[in-house]
């Protein structure tokens, strides 16, 4: 039982995913610090004055619980976009390049699809001989 678990954990793709997640976590922390320290003050300065940020006070003045903070949302959107760009350009693109050198296609475009006449599933590969959902033989 332990040998099977060890073989599962030591598979190349599991290790690759684990390393990718660790790198993504580290990049996430770095990007979060950037948005908190650089982007948030820039967004807050757009409002001007002595405001808590970019947004509106809906209740009592100075009450953080009733402040509609659009700046925090805008900062989160910027954080997400930066994070996804970093993951794509620093993890996905190099991984695709390394795998292409090994002759393996990853993150490729899906092939053409067809619809099963029996169950009407629309996600069958065009060259499938049998439906994966209902098991019906497919005509050419």
């Amino acid at each position: 039982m332990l040998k099977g678990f060890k073989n599962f954990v030591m598979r190349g793709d599991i290790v690759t995913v684990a390393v990718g997640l660790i790198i993504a976590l580290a990049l996430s922390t770095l990007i979060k610090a950037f948005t908190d320290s650089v982007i948030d003050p820039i967004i807050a300065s757009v409002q001007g004055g002595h405001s808590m940020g970019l947004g509106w006070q809906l209740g009592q003045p100075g009450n953080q619980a009733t402040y509609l903070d659009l700046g925090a949302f805008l900062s989160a959107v910027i954080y997400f976009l930066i994070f996804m760009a970093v993951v794509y350009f620093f993890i996905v693109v190099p991984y695709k390049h390394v795998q292409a050198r090994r002759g393996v296609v990853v993150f490729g475009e899906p092939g053409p699809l067809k619809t099963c006449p029996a169950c009407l599933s629309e996600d069958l590969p065009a060259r499938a001989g049998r439906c994966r959902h209902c098991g019906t033989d497919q005509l050419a």
Side-chain angles (χ1 to χ4, degrees), residues 17-100:
V17 169
V19 169
L21 288 174
I22 291 168
I23 292 170
L25 181 61
L27 290 173
S28 172
T29 304
L30 180 66
I31 295 168
K32 180 70 173 146
F34 174 76
T35 55
D36 288 346
S37 301
V38 177
I39 302 295
D40 285 352
I42 292 171
I43 292 172
S45 71
V46 171
Q47 180 85 15
H50 300 301
S51 177
M52 290 188 281
L54 181 62
W56 297 277
Q57 185 68 51
L58 302 176
Q60 294 177 331
N63 185 357
Q64 186 71 20
T66 60
Y67 186 73
L68 181 63
D69 193 0
L70 294 177
F73 177 72
L74 185 59
S75 177
V77 169
I78 292 170
Y79 168 82
F80 175 77
L81 293 174
I82 292 172
F83 182 75
M84 294 312 292
V86 167
V87 167
Y88 180 75
F89 290 111
F90 290 105
I91 296 175
V92 173
V93 171
Y95 181 71
K96 283 173 64 173
H97 180 70
V98 168
Q99 292 298 79

